[in-house]
Amino acid sequence: MAPLRELGRTLLFLGTLFVLVGAFFFLGGKLPFRSGRLPGDIVHRGEHTTFYFPIVTCLVLSLALSLLLWLFSHFRR
């Protein structure tokens, strides 16, 4: 495949991905679940500080991205 054609395909894929992520952030408040506030995320509120570690959110995002990249590589062959 020609290098410019491959670059064009990559840019279209990244543009679509950015649109989807932007729509998710824009409409995120209207979704039935809150990203970053899943059960299992660690929140410790002290007297003067708050510590927040979204471990379950990280696991869900990692699983979703791994599946997406696996599908992309599977159909690319």
Side-chain angles (χ1 to χ4, degrees):
M1 192 174 279
L4 286 178
R5 184 175 170 107
E6 184 67 27
L7 177 64
R9 177 182 280 177
T10 303
L11 288 174
L12 282 173
F13 175 75
L14 288 175
T16 304
L17 182 67
F18 282 141
V19 166
L20 291 174
V21 169
F24 178 74
F25 285 139
F26 182 72
L27 301 172
K30 298 176 183 169
L31 293 174
F33 60 90
R34 299 280 182 193
S35 63
R37 300 287 183 198
L38 295 176
D41 289 346
I42 298 170
V43 178
H44 176 72
R45 290 182 177 88
E47 189 175 331
H48 299 288
T49 60
T50 300
F51 175 76
Y52 178 69
F53 186 69
I55 188 139
V56 175
T57 302
C58 291
L59 291 173
V60 169
L61 286 174
S62 175
L63 180 67
L65 287 174
S66 294
L67 179 65
L68 182 70
L69 291 174
W70 177 81
L71 284 172
F72 183 70
S73 70
H74 179 70
F75 288 118
R76 189 170 175 149
R77 289 185 210 168

